[in-house]
Amino acid sequence: MHAKPSDAEVVVIGLGAAGSHAARRIAETGVEVIGLEAEQLLHTRGAYAGESRLFRAAYHEGAEYVPLLLESREEWLELQRGGSREILRETGVLSIGSAAAPQMRRVRESLRHAGVAHRALSTAELREQHPQHGGITDEIGVLDLLGGVLRPEAAVAELQRRARLAGAELRGGQRVAAVEERGNRAIVRLGHGEELSARVAVLAPGVHAPALLPRLAPHLVIRPIGLTWFCPEDAEAFSPERFPAFIRDHGSTHLFGAPTLDGTLVKAGYDARLGTIADPAELPGALADEQREAVAADVHRLLPGLPPYVARESVHMDLFTADKRPVIGALGERIVVGIGFSGHGFKLAPAVGNALADLALARPTRHDLSAFSPDRFAG
Ligand SMILES: Cc1cc2nc3c(=O)[nH]c(=O)nc-3n(C[C@H](O)[C@H](O)[C@H](O)COP(=O)(O)OP(=O)(O)OC[C@H]3O[C@@H](n4cnc5c(N)ncnc54)[C@H](O)[C@@H]3O)c2cc1C
């Protein structure tokens, strides 16, 4: 026998960037929304931790993302204007890769498709204008002028502040144990036996999604991602004014990085070299010595002005899908999901939050989300 669950109109589970923004947008329509977060409202175990996230409109991942990226950029700037902290520093983002590489073709396509301001750089121009990048032989560059560096912790804090201002009730320390549809309600079970009954539950629980969504679990894996920072010999050459954030595909090495916005260090690393873990509790606290040495050697090879040793590091995790595209959509009548951002979802979070809000409120979404439908996995 279940005790009678207390009621809410919409419950949002997981208050990272997408969940927090969804809660805000739902609350702004006057609908009652409760946001539940397993940890404290801001914490270090989210996929958003680690000081900076790249924002790019040049998207080798596919042109279907571009409308979401442009909408997100407007939202990030709006968030910044309405608050008192820096959210997005528009440094530009430089994509570097072999002229023949498919990802560079896709970068150019995505920019053309969206009419996004950018600068194409030949191999010679790349060498001359961005001498920090070494070993350039056949590579070309595309400088995405809308790109920049997001401040993820500040952004999540600001999104939550706006959600609360709009009337959302956000509760930290509330881990959801299960969600199910019962009759025409979504029943949200909390760890200590309490239940909430909602018209719709929005699930954005990051790496914890497999436990809450067993139907999707076989298509999801948790990947640790290490971040490493380096202290340049010539700090001026690597300042945000002279060294834009970048992603670079060089042979089999996919490197990304950004100067810290105070100009003291440079973050540079790989996006996927640490395998997978079965459970978030298995996240390693640090890189193994050989992993740290390997990334430092590659960073020094491709950015010779950075020394081959790491000044600072941290290890985080994100939830990856088999096709590295997120899962955004309805799963049944009463459950909406936004998960599986596969190492590239932070920049997209406002557009995803808007889509989750539209779905929860049974409004048409602004963009075609069929490429991200849960049906491709859930059948
Ligand atoms: C190191 C690293 C670098 C990255 N770099 C970039 C980048 O440069 N650009 C970019 O766009 N993206 C980047 N990403 C990806 C991006 O950060 C993630 O895709 C995005 O933050 C995922 O957001 P999320 O809302 O799914 O998860 P989270 O931010 O982790 O939010 C989920 C929240 O749900 C809570 N939760 C989980 N389970 C429950 C439960 N049962 N009950 C209640 N609450 C629960 C969690 O505590 C958490 O707060 C990077 C990711 C990592 C890890």
Side-chain angles (χ1 to χ4, degrees), residues 27 48 87 120 132-133 135 142 144 165 199 208 210 241 270 280 284 289 297-298 311 327 334 349:
Y48 58 79
I87 305 288
Q132 299 89 341
H133 293 277
V142 176
D144 166 3
L165 271 180
R199 190 177 53 70
H208 295 266
E241 292 71 35
Y270 310 132
D289 287 348
D298 277 330
V327 181
R334 302 280 150 202

Side-chain angles (χ1 to χ4, degrees), residues 13-332:
I13 299 159
L15 298 176
S20 299
H21 189 62
R24 171 192 175 186
R25 290 302 189 213
I26 294 166
E28 282 170 350
T29 66
V31 167
E32 181 202 15
V33 53
I34 296 178
L36 301 175
E37 167 56 53
E39 308 278 343
Q40 297 305 307
L41 287 178
L42 203 63
H43 62 99
T44 57
R45 301 175 61 82
Y48 58 79
E51 190 195 46
S52 58
R53 292 289 182 269
L54 299 196
F55 179 90
R56 303 173 271 131
Y59 226 56
H60 67 83
E61 289 87 342
E64 66 274 20
Y65 289 93
V66 173
L68 300 176
L69 292 164
L70 296 180
E71 179 182 332
S72 292
R73 180 171 175 274
E74 290 307 312
E75 291 277 22
W76 288 127
L77 294 173
E78 185 275 332
L79 194 70
Q80 179 162 269
R81 279 194 301 274
S84 57
R85 34 195 155 204
E86 180 174 59
I87 305 288
L88 173 61
R89 173 95 59 99
E90 296 182 272
T91 58
V93 173
L94 183 62
S95 294
I96 302 176
S98 157
Q103 64 272 24
M104 290 308 279
R105 181 177 43 76
R106 290 197 298 267
V107 160
R108 285 192 302 256
E109 269 171 19
S110 70
L111 291 170
R112 260 200 309 273
H113 179 80
V116 167
H118 65 282
R119 208 173 293 145
L121 301 172
S122 66
T123 305
E125 288 168 330
L126 185 59
R127 274 206 211 102
E128 191 191 310
Q129 294 173 29
H130 299 281
Q132 299 89 341
H133 293 277
I136 304 272
T137 51
D138 69 333
E139 286 160 288
I140 55 164
V142 176
L143 182 62
D144 166 3
L145 298 171
L146 296 190
V149 181
L150 287 158
R151 302 265 200 185
E153 293 91 351
V156 172
E158 185 63 20
L159 287 167
Q160 293 180 357
R161 190 179 75 85
R162 298 298 189 84
R164 275 193 303 264
L165 271 180
E169 181 187 336
L170 306 186
R171 301 183 190 166
Q174 301 271 301
R175 182 171 295 280
V176 170
V179 183
E180 59 174 330
E181 294 197 19
R182 207 183 289 157
N184 61 355
R185 305 290 289 176
I187 304 298
V188 176
R189 195 147 42 80
L190 293 164
H192 42 81
E194 189 195 341
E195 284 186 346
L196 289 178
S197 156
R199 190 177 53 70
V200 181
V202 175
L203 271 73
V207 293
H208 295 266
L212 293 178
L213 296 163
R215 267 164 76 197
L216 294 180
H219 308 280
L220 304 170
V221 291
I222 304 169
R223 289 191 186 282
I225 304 177
L227 294 178
T228 38
W229 285 260
F230 298 83
C231 192
E233 190 79 4
D234 177 356
E236 181 59 29
F238 285 90
S239 64
E241 292 71 35
R242 290 191 35 206
F243 181 67
F246 72 93
I247 59 172
R248 181 171 179 188
D249 283 289
H250 183 89
S252 61
T253 307
H254 174 84
L255 211 64
F256 66 90
T260 54
L261 299 180
D262 65 2
T264 55
L265 297 178
V266 175
K267 177 164 120 177
Y270 310 132
D271 71 345
R273 289 268 173 116
L274 304 184
T276 62
I277 51 176
D279 187 286
E282 293 170 17
L283 182 71
L287 296 174
D289 287 348
E290 59 276 16
Q291 292 165 339
R292 185 179 309 108
E293 283 159 21
V295 68
D298 277 330
V299 166
H300 181 61
R301 182 167 57 89
L302 298 178
L303 292 161
L306 298 181
Y309 37 83
V310 170
R312 176 182 156 199
E313 73 180 44
S314 55
V315 186
H316 310 278
M317 53 188 157
D318 200 5
L319 187 69
F320 283 65
T321 62
D323 56 15
K324 293 195 179 172
R325 275 187 276 132
V327 181
I328 308 167
L331 203 65

Side-chain angles (χ1 to χ4, degrees), residues 104 268 366 372:
M104 290 308 279
R366 301 147 214 221
F372 311 117

